[in-house]
Amino acid sequence: SQQGEEDPQALSIQEGENATMNCSYKTSINNLQWYRQNSGRGLVHLILIRSNEREKHSGRLRVTLDTSKKSSSLLITASRAADTASYFCATDPLGAGSYQLTFGKGTKLSVIP
Amino acid sequence: NAGVTQTPKFQVLKTGQSMTLQCAQDMNHEYMSWYRQDPGMGLRLIHYSVGAGITDQGEVPNGYNVSRSTTEDFPLRLLSAAPSQTSVYFCASSPRRSYNSPLHFGNGTRLTVT
C-alpha cells in the first residue's frame, strides 16, 4: 500500500518562481526521502531527512519534516526549465525489519521558460 | 562506475511467455530491489535482497521470482507473463541493508505483454 501521498499531482510554474510540493504519510518512519524522475529515466535521489530532523537544505532544495502531522514539503527555489520532472517522496517505515522504501504517486512539475 | 545497469530497455512479450529482466550493479552494494511503476500508482516494491543468497517479498511479488547468487546481479524472472504485468520495471541498489541509505536506480525496462 502507498505510504506517501504527494500534493499537488501536477504543478506548472514560470522559470524563476519557487515550487512547493507536499507529502503526507501514514505510519511512523525512520526517514523520508525525495527523488526526481526525468521523463523516461530512473529515479535520482535528492535529499534524505531523518525522523529527528526538522529541516534540511541542499543547494536550491529545502525539505521540512513534521512528524506530528506526518507530512513533509519540498521547496525548489528559483526554478529552472531543467527542474521539469516528476518528484516522489519515499518513506522508510519504522519497524519494517528490512529496508523497504515505499513511494508516493509523485508530483509532476513543469517549469515554463 | 556504470552504476545500476538494466537490460533490456524495451521488451514485448505474448501472454504466457517467460523472460528474465537483468540487473547488475558495480558499486558493491549489499541491498538490491525491484520496483514496478504504473501510471497513477507510483512505484511498488516487488522483491528485494539484503545480500547474496537472501531474498524476500515486497508488496506485489506474485508472478515474479528472484535470486541473488552474487553481490552484483539481481535478475527478475517473469514465469508466465500476463497483460497485468505490462509496466516499467526499475532495479535499485543501496550501499547498506539498513535505513538512512539512498537508493540508486537503473534506467528501467519497459515491458509490454500482449
Side-chain angles (χ1 to χ4, degrees):
Chain A
S1 60
Q2 236 79 30
Q3 162 79 310
E5 290 288 339
E6 292 89 345
D7 171 62
Q9 290 185 340
L11 180 60
S12 183
I13 59 173
Q14 297 287 330
E15 201 166 31
E17 293 180 336
N18 295 342
T20 300
M21 289 158 266
N22 302 298
C23 171
S24 60
Y25 58 92
K26 296 173 185 170
T27 63
S28 297
I29 58 173
N30 290 310
N31 65 68
L32 186 143
Q33 304 179 32
W34 286 91
Y35 288 79
R36 183 187 75 230
Q37 184 180 34
N38 291 94
S39 181
R41 304 299 296 268
L43 280 73
V44 174
H45 180 259
L46 295 176
I47 198 163
L48 181 153
I49 186 165
R50 292 181 170 84
S51 60
N52 61 354
E53 297 175 313
R54 292 297 167 256
E55 187 170 313
K56 205 160 183 181
H57 296 256
S58 177
R60 294 183 296 111
L61 306 181
R62 172 177 169 256
V63 168
T64 62
L65 179 65
D66 187 335
T67 53
S68 66
K69 294 181 180 177
K70 292 188 168 57
S71 67
S72 173
S73 67
L74 170 67
L75 169 67
I76 304 174
T77 60
S79 63
R80 305 166 182 167
D83 294 328
T84 294
S86 290
Y87 291 82
F88 295 87
C89 70
T91 53
D92 182 14
L94 192 65
S98 291
Y99 193 32
Q100 297 184 54
L101 272 190
T102 55
F103 287 80
K105 297 176 184 178
T107 291
K108 191 168 185 178
L109 174 66
S110 298
V111 181
I112 303 163
Chain B
N1 285 351
V4 178
T5 302
Q6 291 184 236
T7 56
K9 286 187 169 58
F10 301 94
Q11 183 70 50
V12 178
L13 290 178
K14 293 188 188 311
T15 297
Q17 287 184 318
S18 63
M19 80 158 294
T20 300
L21 279 63
Q22 302 291 345
C23 175
Q25 52 91 9
D26 61 358
M27 298 172 284
N28 202 31
H29 285 177
E30 280 189 77
Y31 177 91
M32 296 186 75
S33 57
W34 277 100
Y35 285 86
R36 60 178 287 173
Q37 184 177 32
D38 302 294
M41 295 291 293
L43 281 84
R44 292 180 292 171
L45 182 64
I46 305 171
H47 285 285
Y48 64 96
S49 168
V50 297
I54 306 169
T55 63
D56 208 342
Q57 296 181 350
E59 181 187 351
V60 288
N62 291 341
Y64 307 96
N65 271 359
V66 292
S67 59
R68 184 98 180 266
S69 56
T70 67
T71 299
E72 294 78 21
D73 300 299
F74 190 45
L76 178 72
R77 281 181 289 276
L78 278 70
L79 309 172
S80 177
S84 61
Q85 293 179 305
T86 293
S87 188
V88 182
Y89 292 85
F90 288 99
C91 179
S93 69
S94 176
R96 300 186 302 273
R97 65 178 70 182
S98 64
Y99 54 88
N100 293 334
S101 184
L103 288 178
H104 300 249
F105 280 82
N107 281 325
T109 295
R110 186 175 294 273
L111 176 68
T112 302
V113 183
T114 61

